[in-house]
Amino acid sequence: MKLLAYFRSMGEKFFRRSQLSAEMDEELRSHIALRAEDLERTGLDREEAQRRAYIEFGGEEKVKDECHQALGGNLIETAIQDVRIT
């Protein structure tokens, strides 16, 4: 079962890249907004709460990269990039 899920994940990663990226962006924004709301309830103003929420998540690109790696298929993608270079 895990192997099937892995291949499905790889297929989505390669064939639905833009949709997957948009979904990750939306989910990340949602998590940051929810965390900012939590911080506002502790007494921080909205701007400071948003700033701290972004800091806690470690930056959008870092999170996106971690999600991208977690989806699997990096070995194949790296091999394709290596072939393009040579």
Side-chain angles (χ1 to χ4, degrees):
M1 204 62 165
K2 283 186 176 185
L3 189 59
L4 180 61
Y6 176 76
F7 284 121
R8 184 180 305 133
S9 174
M10 281 184 14
E12 287 182 0
K13 180 179 177 180
F14 289 112
F15 298 114
R16 295 184 9 188
R17 183 178 296 255
S18 62
Q19 182 181 359
L20 194 60
S21 180
E23 289 172 1
M24 279 196 297
D25 288 345
E26 179 60 33
E27 187 166 349
L28 180 58
R29 281 192 296 271
S30 174
H31 284 290
I32 291 171
L34 290 171
R35 180 60 183 142
E37 289 173 10
D38 288 344
L39 291 170
E40 277 185 88
R41 283 192 282 275
T42 66
L44 293 174
D45 64 53
R46 184 166 181 78
E47 187 176 308
E48 180 63 17
Q50 286 179 337
R51 187 184 76 77
R52 287 191 187 182
Y54 276 107
I55 289 171
E56 286 180 16
F57 275 88
E60 289 183 39
E61 291 305 314
K62 178 184 173 201
V63 173
K64 284 185 201 179
D65 187 48
E66 289 172 357
C67 290
H68 181 72
Q69 289 178 7
L71 287 173
N74 288 331
L75 177 64
I76 295 169
E77 191 170 283
T78 302
I80 290 169
Q81 288 174 353
D82 288 347
V83 169
R84 285 186 201 160
I85 292 173
T86 57

